């Protein structure tokens, strides 16, 4: 084994996802459960427990372009969330809200979807937008519903356009229940880990979370952040905290100088985690992301390095 490790490149195939379980669940139709009732509720609870590994849930607030979206039941450690139908489709939410959820969670449970008709047209349209958004982001969707997906929307001959639009929703629900889709969704979300959306503004990041955040913005995989990469991070932070993406060059240069502790022109993973670990995003933005007057910028010492206490 030692000789093999010395002469060969080792690829770690360990994964937190049980692909065989997902394939079995898809074949058994357990991502779309009907009809509503105690048996379906029990099956939803069992599946949720499997995917969250028995971890509990707690409320989580997502920041979306300056607005807040409350998720009452989020298993943050495993990126799984659970909603009642009316939480998502009975409120005035839109594509931006649903895409935000899709960026934060790789699996979303939607419970108690009722039989829909043209009389529920606003909820129908939100449901269609929700499915489109989750499908676009390759999110795994688990639903409990009052009727099979093919008859979930009661056809109204007088409103054939709505029926036609819902046909696409049914097609996507079918695809999202397949084992192929479930496996592709895992791959898509493994690549997207580290999004700022999963971090609450006032929650303190662990060193592991800060490291994952660094990896997400190290676009070229160099092991260090350069000015363009830090600018993108600051634009994303600004969007969450201020509601806009306008970040001045002076702000980026100021933050870069403070983070670049050894003054070598790049921010390493260790320098980055030194700033972000054990801090909240609110604290980071306050310390590194505010526009300062020119005479307030930190000045190099005689050695040429920036004093981070300045």
């Amino acid at each position: 084994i030692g000789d093999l490790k010395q002469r060969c490149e080792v690829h770690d195939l360990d994964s937190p996802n049980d692909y065989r379980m997902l394939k079995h669940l898809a074949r058994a139709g357990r991502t779309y459960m009907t009809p509503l009732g105690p048996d379906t509720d029990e099956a939803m609870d069992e599946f949720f427990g499997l995917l969250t590994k028995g971890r509990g849930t707690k409320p989580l607030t997502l920041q979306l372009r300056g607005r807040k979206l409350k998720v009452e039941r989020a298993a943050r450690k495993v990126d799984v969330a659970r909603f009642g139908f009316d939480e998502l489709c009975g409120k005035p939410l839109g594509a931006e809200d649903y895409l935000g959820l899709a960026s934060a969670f790789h699996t979303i449970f939607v419970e108690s979807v009722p039989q829909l008709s043209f009389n529920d047209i606003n909820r129908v349209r939100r449901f269609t937008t929700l499915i489109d958004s989750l499908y676009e982001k390759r999110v795994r969707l688990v639903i409990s519903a009052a009727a099979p997906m093919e008859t979930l929307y009661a056809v109204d001959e007088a409103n054939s356009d709505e029926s036609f639009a819902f046909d696409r929703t049914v097609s996507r629900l079918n695809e999202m229940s397949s084992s192929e889709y479930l496996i592709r969704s895992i791959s898509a979300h493994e690549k997207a880990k580290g999004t700022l959306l999963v971090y609450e503004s006032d929650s303190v990041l662990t060193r592991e979370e800060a490291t994952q955040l660094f990896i997400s913005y190290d676009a070229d995989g160099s092991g260090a952040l350069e000015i363009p990469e830090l600018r993108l991070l600051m634009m994303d932070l600004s969007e969450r905290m201020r509601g806009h993406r306008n970040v001045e060059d002076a702000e980026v240069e100021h933050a870069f100088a403070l983070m670049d502790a050894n003054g070598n022109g790049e921010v390493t993973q260790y320098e980055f985690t030194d700033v972000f670990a054990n801090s909240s995003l609110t604290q980071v933005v306050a310390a590194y992301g505010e526009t300062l007057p020119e005479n307030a910028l930190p000045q190099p010492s005689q050695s040429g390095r920036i004093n981070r206490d300045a």
Side-chain angles (χ1 to χ4, degrees):
I1 293 176
D3 289 341
L4 284 172
K5 288 182 177 180
Q6 185 176 358
R7 292 175 171 79
C8 303
E9 184 176 354
V10 177
H11 295 277
D12 186 1
L13 299 180
D14 185 29
S15 172
N17 301 290
D18 188 338
Y19 293 90
R20 290 172 298 176
M21 181 192 74
L22 292 175
K23 192 170 185 178
H24 169 73
L25 290 167
R27 285 178 174 173
R30 291 190 60 193
T31 57
Y32 188 98
M33 306 182 198
T34 187
L36 298 179
D39 290 343
T40 295
D41 292 342
E42 184 179 347
M44 289 282 281
D45 290 340
E46 180 185 355
F47 194 9
F48 188 78
L50 278 172
L51 292 186
T52 60
K53 299 178 176 62
R55 294 182 174 92
T57 64
K58 66 176 183 179
L60 175 68
T61 300
L62 304 181
Q63 301 286 338
L64 304 173
R65 296 184 183 276
R67 297 182 299 105
K68 294 182 178 181
L69 180 60
K70 188 72 172 290
V71 180
E72 294 292 347
R73 293 176 290 174
R76 175 178 168 183
K77 294 291 185 182
V78 288
D79 297 339
V80 178
R82 192 170 184 175
F83 300 90
F85 174 78
D86 281 332
E87 288 182 80
L88 294 177
C89 302
K91 298 177 180 179
L93 302 180
E96 184 176 323
D97 302 293
Y98 300 140
L99 288 170
L101 291 173
S103 297
F105 303 104
H106 66 60
T107 303
I108 289 179
F109 283 66
V110 181
E111 299 175 305
S112 302
V113 180
Q115 178 80 62
L116 300 170
S117 70
F118 189 75
N119 293 330
D120 305 302
I121 193 58
N122 288 331
R123 295 199 298 171
V124 170
R125 288 172 178 168
R126 290 186 193 117
F127 183 69
T128 297
T129 302
L130 170 66
I131 299 305
D132 287 344
S133 301
L134 301 186
Y135 179 86
E136 177 183 329
K137 294 290 188 179
R138 296 293 183 195
V139 173
R140 284 179 279 177
L141 176 65
V142 183
I143 283 181
S144 67
M149 60 184 75
E150 292 79 8
T151 58
L152 187 60
Y153 178 71
V155 176
D156 186 342
E157 298 295 338
N159 298 282
S160 57
D161 288 346
E162 296 296 339
S163 298
F164 178 79
F166 202 80
D167 284 345
R168 185 185 66 176
T169 299
V170 171
S171 175
R172 290 191 164 182
L173 284 172
N174 267 307
E175 183 179 345
M176 294 168 83
S177 298
S178 69
S179 58
E180 292 80 6
Y181 176 91
L182 295 174
I183 292 172
R184 287 201 308 271
S185 74
I186 293 172
S187 175
H189 279 267
E190 282 177 346
K191 293 177 182 177
K193 284 180 180 177
T195 175
L196 284 173
L197 283 168
V198 301
Y199 303 123
E200 296 179 85
S201 300
D202 295 320
S203 64
V204 174
L205 273 64
T206 65
R207 183 161 290 274
E208 181 182 8
E209 289 171 334
T211 299
Q212 188 60 59
L213 197 60
F214 171 87
I215 293 171
S216 299
Y217 285 90
D218 181 19
D220 58 4
S222 65
L225 294 188
E226 299 166 354
I227 287 286
E229 294 166 327
L230 183 61
R231 177 179 285 107
L232 177 60
L233 169 60
M234 292 185 66
M235 289 170 65
D236 288 348
L237 278 172
S238 178
E239 182 174 22
R240 288 203 59 205
M241 306 300 298
R242 307 169 182 171
H244 63 79
R245 297 180 64 82
N246 302 323
V247 178
E248 296 181 7
D249 289 344
E251 291 182 89
V252 179
E253 293 167 4
H254 167 63
F256 191 86
L258 289 176
M259 293 184 188
D260 181 17
N262 62 6
N264 68 345
E266 60 183 20
V267 177
T268 67
Q269 175 181 317
Y270 302 102
E271 291 170 328
F272 183 89
T273 53
D274 188 41
V275 170
F276 277 82
N278 302 316
S279 299
S280 69
L281 296 183
T282 301
Q283 292 170 327
V284 171
V285 170
Y288 294 88
E290 297 296 337
T291 302
L292 300 176
E294 185 174 346
N295 60 6
L297 291 176
Q299 301 300 317
S301 66
Q302 291 183 349
S303 66
R305 290 177 53 181
I306 296 291
N307 178 5
R308 298 177 76 179
D309 294 329

